[in-house]
């Protein structure tokens, strides 16, 4: 039976994809009454979440993310897994926007009964895209999906957000290492549990090998204290080459990092970070929404700019105002 939130939890638990889609629509809604309904749904099912391997997949547009996810998703389904794909596209104005508007994306995977594919809309509210994607991910787990692939475009904050909500972060790269080594400068490589050089088919096989070697040596300079050492692989998503190698790596990770408690520790740490971020956002929201504080802000800013008040004293005045 649907609860006050209009979502039939039994059907959700049974893995019904339409119910899951409806539940995600609810958590994505910007309406205040929907937000409350979504919260009550999440509270009801949250204890049942957590049962998937959460995999983030990132890379610049054109690197082959959707081709790769389809190939990997089909391989995982063939091995008996249920696979959910969530796509984070900060540039998309709404669900079904730029990233997934193209109906041909992951067409074969979307026809599989054991797969669920969902784009996320951009969002400008508390927690933003990250909030919706986190909550959608939990709902996929409640619906029994045991692998959740979170796709994001390799630009900016969304990449960092996704890395902060998954158990395994995989970065897809192009074989022309020269440009792609930029990823090292951007710090993305430091977030990665695996770097996968795609398009290693006939034309670019040797380039892919060269790139692999360069990434190997770049990774070897990073310090790791986790039980998992990041790896570099090559594959061709288009020709389905070494996708089984990627799949085997994920299975190995699930075994090694799961058994050692590393995934649980990583999730605990991610939750702490997430709480800190939400706290900051809530404080900022309160500052903006409280009329007295909003009025005080420009006065304090002027006083700080004029050197009449120290930045610390001004910040303290604002924060002490919050407590009242
Ligand atoms: P996305 O923008 O990262 O999602 O990339 P797409 O999956 O849409 O792929 C971009 C283009 O690269 C498409 O024309 C794909 O057919 C092509 N592509 C993807 N994977 C491979 C591959 O392994 N080898 C080759 N040669 N082309 C690929």
């Amino acid at each position: 039976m649907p609860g006050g939130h209009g979502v039939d939890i039994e059907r959700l638990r049974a893995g019904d994809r339409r119910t899951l889609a409806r539940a995600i629509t609810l958590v994505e809604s910007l309406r205040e009454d929907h937000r409350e309904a979504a919260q009550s749904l999440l509270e009801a099912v949250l204890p049942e979440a957590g049962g998937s391997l959460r995999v983030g997949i990132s890379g610049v547009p054109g690197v082959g993310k959707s081709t790769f996810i389809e190939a990997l998703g089909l391989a995982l389904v063939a091995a008996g897994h249920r696979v959910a794909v969530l796509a984070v596209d900060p540039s998309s104005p709404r669900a079904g926007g730029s990233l997934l508007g193209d109906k041909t994306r992951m067409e074969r995977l979307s026809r599989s009964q054991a797969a669920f594919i969902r784009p996320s809309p951009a969002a400008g509210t508390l927690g933003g895209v990250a909030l919706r994607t986190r909550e959608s991910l939990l709902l996929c787990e409640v619906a029994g999906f045991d692998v959740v692939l979170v796709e994001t475009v390799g630009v900016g904050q969304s990449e960092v957000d996704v890395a902060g909500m998954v158990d395994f972060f995989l970065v897809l790269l192009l074989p022309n290492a020269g440009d792609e080594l930029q990823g090292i400068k951007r710090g993305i490589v430091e977030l990665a549990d695996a770097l996968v050089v795609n398009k290693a088919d006939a034309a670019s096989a040797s380039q892919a090998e060269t790139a692999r070697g360069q990434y190997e040596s770049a990774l070897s300079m990073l310090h790791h204290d986790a039980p998992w050492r990041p790896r570099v692989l090559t594959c061709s998503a288009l020709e389905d080459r070494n996708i089984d190698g990627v799949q085997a790596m994920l299975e190995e990770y699930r075994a090694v990092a799961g058994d050692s408690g590393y995934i649980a520790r990583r999730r605990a740490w991610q939750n702490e970070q997430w709480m800190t971020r939400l706290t900051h956002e809530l404080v900022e929201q309160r500052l903006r929404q409280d009329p007295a504080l909003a009025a005080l802000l420009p006065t304090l800013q002027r006083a700080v700019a004029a050197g009449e008040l120290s930045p610390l004293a001004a910040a303290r005045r604002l924060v002490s105002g919050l407590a009242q």
Side-chain angles (χ1 to χ4, degrees):
M1 282 296 290
H5 36 68
V7 173
D8 188 331
I9 293 185
E10 280 315 310
R11 292 183 73 93
L12 181 66
R13 286 189 181 119
D16 180 65
R17 293 184 297 169
R18 285 186 55 184
T19 307
L20 175 58
R22 205 169 302 135
I24 292 179
T25 302
L26 182 68
V27 304
E28 285 176 346
S29 172
L30 294 171
R31 270 174 48 179
E32 199 51 46
D33 56 329
H34 285 173
R35 198 64 229 147
E36 274 170 34
Q39 220 43 54
S40 102
L41 169 65
L42 285 164
E43 271 156 34
V45 297
L46 209 56
E48 299 158 44
S52 80
L53 182 68
R54 306 167 180 175
V55 182
I57 297 173
S58 177
V60 296
V63 70
K65 289 181 296 301
S66 58
T67 313
F68 176 83
I69 289 171
E70 173 152 65
L72 179 63
L74 287 168
L76 288 164
V77 165
H81 294 288
R82 295 186 72 222
V83 180
V85 179
L86 302 173
V88 178
D89 180 5
S91 65
S92 165
R94 62 191 162 77
S98 62
L99 186 69
L100 289 155
D102 178 0
K103 288 274 188 299
T104 59
R105 278 184 117 244
M106 302 181 213
E107 201 187 341
R108 282 189 301 149
L109 184 60
S110 65
R111 280 202 300 269
S112 164
Q113 292 294 316
F116 175 83
I117 301 178
R118 175 81 181 201
S120 270
T125 54
L126 185 71
V129 172
L131 174 65
R132 275 59 166 322
T133 308
R134 259 167 210 277
E135 294 180 344
S136 302
L137 192 156
L138 300 174
L139 291 171
C140 291
E141 292 179 342
V142 173
F145 288 88
D146 66 331
V147 181
V148 182
L149 306 177
V150 185
E151 174 189 4
T152 187
V153 182
V155 282
Q157 185 61 33
S158 74
E159 204 168 28
V160 178
D161 283 347
V162 168
M165 70 176 82
V166 295
D167 305 318
F168 193 95
F169 189 61
L170 184 157
V171 179
L172 277 181
L173 299 159
L174 291 167
N176 50 339
D179 304 338
E180 285 301 308
L181 283 166
Q182 296 298 322
I184 292 172
K185 287 201 196 117
R186 290 190 296 123
I188 288 308
V189 166
E190 282 155 61
L191 297 175
D193 297 292
L195 301 174
V196 178
V197 181
N198 188 33
K199 308 200 183 184
D201 27 67
S204 38
S206 65
Q207 271 184 320
E209 260 321 299
T210 309
R212 198 178 63 78
Q214 286 171 322
Y215 282 114
E216 289 273 12
S217 64
L219 278 182
S220 70
M221 288 184 273
L222 297 175
H223 169 72
H224 293 286
D225 50 7
W228 178 262
R229 271 198 76 82
R231 298 194 184 161
V232 188
L233 273 68
T234 61
C235 79
S236 167
L238 194 65
E239 295 185 355
D240 205 351
R241 275 206 254 155
N242 204 27
I243 297 299
D244 54 353
V246 175
Q247 186 183 354
M249 173 180 66
L250 293 178
E251 302 285 5
E252 187 186 335
Y253 180 82
R254 199 200 289 252
V256 171
D259 287 352
S260 66
Y262 175 66
I263 291 180
R265 288 199 303 279
R266 183 163 164 160
R267 287 182 180 182
W269 183 80
Q270 287 173 339
N271 281 337
E272 271 180 47
Q273 299 281 309
W274 180 233
M275 181 192 139
T276 304
R277 171 164 159 198
L278 288 179
T279 305
H280 291 166
E281 288 194 28
L282 275 174
V283 167
E284 280 176 23
Q285 197 180 59
R286 284 274 302 279
L287 285 175
R288 278 196 308 275
Q289 286 172 354
D290 185 306
L293 292 175
L296 183 60
L297 183 63
T299 312
L300 291 175
Q301 281 169 331
R302 269 198 301 276
V304 169
E308 293 155 9
L309 196 62
S310 78
L312 179 62
R316 282 206 169 122
R317 283 267 287 279
L318 274 179
V319 171
S320 66
L322 278 179
Q324 282 148 23

